[in-house]
Amino acid sequence: MARQERALRTRNALIESAAELFDRDGFETASLATISARAGVSNGALHFHFASKAALAEAVREAAAQRLARITDGGAERGDGGALQMLIDTSHALVRGFGQDVVLRAGFDLGDGRGSTGTGADLCTRWRDWVEAAFARAAREGALAPDASARDATLAVVGAVAGFKALGGRDPEWLSPDTLTRFWSLLLPRVAQELTLGGLVAAGTAAGKEALWF
Amino acid sequence: MARQERALRTRNALIESAAELFDRDGFETASLATISARAGVSNGALHFHFASKAALAEAVREAAAQRLARITDGGAERGDGGALQMLIDTSHALVRGFGQDVVLRAGFDLGDGRGSTGTGADLCTRWRDWVEAAFARAAREGALAPDASARDATLAVVGAVAGFKALGGRDPEWLSPDTLTRFWSLLLPRVAQELTLGGLVAAGTAAGKEALWF
């Protein structure tokens, strides 16, 4: 294995280990010694890659931002089923990601201001902007009900997904596909234009599940 | 001031101080020394009242549970406007509480399993059960739309309120009355029976604001 590849593996192991400990114990409590031990590397190796815990947190946030982008870009590419179905599929992929991927989960929490030193928008804001753009696109497609506000729908979706993530930390049922499907089943008849509604799959499409990263 | 009254004040000051530090730094990070210093009492006084940090967390959780009960009981007593309006008013009171009352906020987070040693249900579960009972009562009143599921509506309301709380930690706009009003404005035409809908106030009633604790 080339030296560069080894270094990249070590870096990724440290990011994964930091995400696990930030997620379990919180940013403040997690210690660099525990993070390096869990990654199976020396303290010296950790300090070679990351100057501080804040730098490590920033790396977790960046890795999570890439995974979020992969999820949302994947959704956007497959937008031929319409913006609303793309949004449903993407929200299912994100919630699956929250259940399975500790880097994604920890990255969203680091966006809470703790440990974040980056200048880019935090992940919650990026996700919110993306949802808002998807609803705006649905409106342009004529797929939104005439009396439904894209802004209000954005608040509801971003709020509920953030709530399912927070509640899912204690009870995984909140992150189950069934919970999100029930939410969409409730919301869609309110926000989707009548003729569009029949074609929408609240549980997400099979194509969406295959194409999207999680 | 009688000795008993003084002891009660000290106890309450410690609960308030602990809630502030749990909320700011997390349960694990908050130290007993900082909690007693912030409350303006000695370490000895803290240990006279609370044997451990877990005992202090349990007291915060119990104080928060009492405040939640005051909010939900207050709502239930004024139920003459119907179960749906009672639920709207109560959700506004709770979200106001999250913005203003650090004990309520910290108590909900302690329910996350960290630091909680009590046997009673955590606050999220109590709130969820209350919302579910309110929707069931609305259904008995004939106030729910025939195709709206009380269970799905419960998931949406509990999820969104938990999300607004989580997101509000970084951006207080999520805990503003406007955000919750927009959420109810979106949800009500979907869940309320057509004849009931016109009488419902998504922003909460003035009577509700007066009567409810926050």
Side-chain angles (χ1 to χ4, degrees), chain A residues 109-171:
Chain A
D109 289 338
L110 288 169
D112 264 331
R114 288 184 197 171
S116 175
T117 56
T119 50
D122 64 65
L123 270 68
C124 290
T125 308
R126 289 184 199 201
W127 165 238
R128 183 204 173 131
D129 291 349
W130 191 87
V131 173
E132 196 150 35
F135 273 122
R137 193 175 133 191
R140 286 195 303 275
E141 290 171 356
L144 277 201
D147 64 338
S149 139
R151 188 181 156 198
D152 297 356
T154 301
L155 290 181
V157 170
V158 173
V161 167
F164 297 157
K165 175 177 176 296
L167 295 163
R170 201 183 45 241
D171 176 0

Side-chain angles (χ1 to χ4, degrees), chain A:
Chain A
M1 189 159 53
R3 181 182 292 185
Q4 214 179 345
E5 193 187 331
R6 226 170 25 232
L8 192 65
R9 281 205 189 180
T10 301
R11 193 175 186 279
N12 287 341
L14 284 164
I15 289 174
E16 194 81 22
S17 169
E20 274 172 23
L21 288 160
F22 293 163
D23 185 56
R24 198 190 68 186
D25 303 336
F27 171 77
E28 302 292 343
T29 307
S31 79
L32 291 179
T34 321
I35 291 169
S36 56
R38 197 180 179 105
V41 307
S42 69
N43 256 320
L46 188 153
H47 285 287
F48 172 78
H49 286 281
F50 301 103
S52 65
K53 193 156 75 167
L56 200 41
E58 186 53 29
V60 170
R61 209 186 62 83
E62 265 169 31
Q66 282 170 17
R67 293 176 196 200
L68 174 65
R70 211 144 47 190
I71 291 172
T72 51
D73 293 354
E77 277 166 22
R78 309 188 321 82
D80 49 347
L84 277 182
Q85 190 63 56
M86 171 191 83
L87 177 54
I88 297 165
D89 287 2
T90 306
S91 69
H92 275 286
L94 182 62
V95 166
R96 270 198 303 283
F98 284 147
Q100 294 166 10
D101 181 353
V102 72
V103 172
L104 189 67
R105 207 159 56 228
F108 262 78
D109 289 338
L110 288 169
D112 264 331
R114 288 184 197 171
S116 175
T117 56
T119 50
D122 64 65
L123 270 68
C124 290
T125 308
R126 289 184 199 201
W127 165 238
R128 183 204 173 131
D129 291 349
W130 191 87
V131 173
E132 196 150 35
F135 273 122
R137 193 175 133 191
R140 286 195 303 275
E141 290 171 356
L144 277 201
D147 64 338
S149 139
R151 188 181 156 198
D152 297 356
T154 301
L155 290 181
V157 170
V158 173
V161 167
F164 297 157
K165 175 177 176 296
L167 295 163
R170 201 183 45 241
D171 176 0
E173 187 61 27
W174 286 101
L175 288 176
S176 73
D178 182 56
T179 300
L180 190 60
T181 300
R182 285 170 176 278
F183 173 73
W184 278 116
S185 303
L186 189 77
L187 195 66
L188 285 174
R190 173 71 175 100
V191 300
Q193 198 267 341
E194 226 177 325
L195 291 174
T196 315
L197 183 59
L200 294 172
V201 186
T205 61
K209 263 172 224 162
E210 245 173 66
L212 291 172
W213 196 70
F214 283 103

Side-chain angles (χ1 to χ4, degrees), chain B residues 33-170:
Chain B
T34 321
I35 291 169
S36 56
R38 197 179 178 106
V41 307
S42 69
N43 256 321
L46 187 154
H47 285 288
F48 172 78
H49 286 282
F50 300 102
S52 64
K53 194 156 72 165
L56 199 42
E58 186 53 29
V60 170
R61 209 186 61 84
E62 265 168 30
Q66 282 169 18
R67 293 176 198 199
L68 174 65
R70 211 144 50 190
I71 291 172
T72 51
D73 294 353
E77 277 166 21
R78 312 186 320 77
D80 49 346
L84 277 182
Q85 189 63 57
M86 171 191 83
L87 177 54
I88 297 165
D89 287 1
T90 306
S91 68
H92 275 286
L94 181 62
V95 166
R96 271 200 301 284
F98 285 146
Q100 293 166 10
D101 180 354
V102 72
V103 172
L104 190 67
R105 206 158 57 227
F108 262 79
D109 289 337
L110 287 169
D112 264 332
R114 288 185 196 170
S116 174
T117 57
T119 50
D122 63 66
L123 271 67
C124 290
T125 308
R126 289 185 199 200
W127 165 239
R128 182 203 173 132
D129 291 348
W130 191 88
V131 173
E132 195 151 35
F135 273 122
R137 195 175 131 191
R140 286 195 303 276
E141 289 171 357
L144 277 201
D147 64 339
S149 140
R151 188 181 156 199
D152 296 356
T154 301
L155 289 181
V157 170
V158 173
V161 167
F164 297 157
K165 176 178 176 296
L167 296 163
R170 200 183 47 241

